[in-house]
Amino acid sequence: MAKRQQRSMLDDTEQGSGVGPERLCAVTRESRDSSELIRFVLSPEGIVVPDLDRRLPGRGVWIGCDRKLVEKAISTQAFSKSLKTKAEAPKDLADLVDALILKRVAGTLSLANKAGLAVAGFEKVFAALEKGPVRVILHGADAAADGCSKIDRKYKAIQADRGQPAAIVNVLTIAQMSLAIGRGSVVHAALIPGGLSDRFLEEAERLIRYRRSTIEAAPETAPGAADDISELSSEG
């Protein structure tokens, strides 16, 4: 009886297939791994809020990790329909999700730096590549292409020799990287292998996945951006 009551409290988007971590996207109605979706819940005031940690109480609505899907969920009132109650979704909810994921990316980079996993600066990144394994290369989103390509060529060659993909991330601006690492003008950085480096990649991949539809639609995508996305995605 208790199990039946508990199940009745869950929306069908949370029940998914009933097996494993899969959940049902409230927009596409496709069952996907929960790592590929974003959970939303209602605040006590009836406002839809993102639950990126998937820990907030209450029934959840799962939406694919894609900005366009979040925008569609707002326009089609998917939150109210899934929760079967009035749910006010802020018009800027898609922007809020982007900002929250971006904050997690920067925060994880900061933690990795405090743990001694980060090196910053063109010469130090090159030295790190020659010294040992590098988990991920970071470039400021507004960094000059020339400096990025020199590091990338060396990194990709090294990873190819090891039979491993090259994870290259450029979702943070120079200012954001500098703030996270705690020093001025961080244009290039690298993370050596470690748990926080893996976590950084997971968060960065989520941000790239969320922004992917926007990037693909942009008429002036930076050269090599698609390659960076595919390399990062292969790590997930």
Side-chain angles (χ1 to χ4, degrees):
M1 180 67 177
K3 290 183 178 180
R4 187 180 300 113
Q5 290 178 339
Q6 183 178 19
R7 176 172 293 182
S8 67
M9 294 175 64
L10 292 175
D11 182 74
D12 60 353
T13 58
E14 288 209 280
Q15 290 178 23
S17 63
V19 179
E22 289 194 346
R23 296 293 185 269
L24 196 67
C25 173
V27 175
T28 65
R29 309 307 295 178
E30 295 177 350
S31 184
R32 303 168 67 177
D33 189 280
S34 61
S35 64
E36 299 177 6
L37 298 104
I38 299 172
R39 185 176 187 263
F40 296 84
V41 298
L42 279 186
S43 71
E45 297 75 28
I47 308 297
V48 176
V49 296
D51 178 22
L52 298 182
D53 284 323
R54 311 180 189 109
R55 295 177 180 175
L56 294 179
R59 292 189 297 176
V61 178
W62 296 79
I63 306 294
C65 187
D66 184 315
R67 183 187 180 95
K68 285 187 175 180
L69 290 180
V70 174
E71 292 172 344
K72 188 172 182 178
I74 298 170
S75 64
T76 60
Q77 299 184 346
F79 298 106
S80 295
K81 293 175 182 177
S82 295
L83 295 171
K84 299 177 177 62
T85 188
K86 183 179 180 181
E88 183 179 343
K91 293 182 179 180
D92 64 346
L93 183 61
D95 290 331
L96 175 60
V97 172
D98 186 288
L100 289 175
I101 301 176
L102 180 63
K103 183 177 180 180
R104 292 169 69 92
V105 174
T108 308
L109 175 57
S110 178
L111 291 174
N113 178 62
K114 292 176 181 177
L117 300 177
V119 295
F122 186 91
E123 297 298 333
K124 289 186 177 181
V125 170
F126 250 81
L129 290 172
E130 295 173 351
K131 184 177 181 181
V134 168
R135 185 71 177 90
V136 54
I137 291 292
L138 296 83
H139 302 301
D142 47 345
D146 182 56
C148 297
S149 62
K150 289 180 180 178
I151 293 175
D152 292 349
R153 282 196 299 270
K154 185 177 182 66
Y155 181 47
K156 290 178 179 179
I158 291 173
Q159 293 300 91
D161 288 341
R162 292 173 176 163
Q164 298 177 354
I168 302 169
V169 175
N170 59 359
V171 297
L172 299 175
T173 65
I174 294 174
Q176 290 166 340
M177 287 176 57
S178 301
L179 182 62
I181 293 179
R183 53 167 286 185
S185 300
V186 176
V187 181
H188 311 285
L191 295 180
I192 62 175
L196 284 169
S197 299
D198 293 340
R199 181 176 160 191
F200 171 82
L201 270 176
E202 291 174 0
E203 295 293 349
E205 183 181 22
R206 176 155 60 167
L207 182 60
I208 290 174
R209 185 186 301 122
Y210 183 75
R211 292 176 172 178
R212 184 191 298 274
S213 56
T214 305
I215 293 173
E216 290 175 344
E220 296 182 358
T221 303
D227 292 336
D228 294 344
I229 291 172
S230 64
E231 287 160 0
L232 180 55
S233 296
S234 68
E235 294 288 319

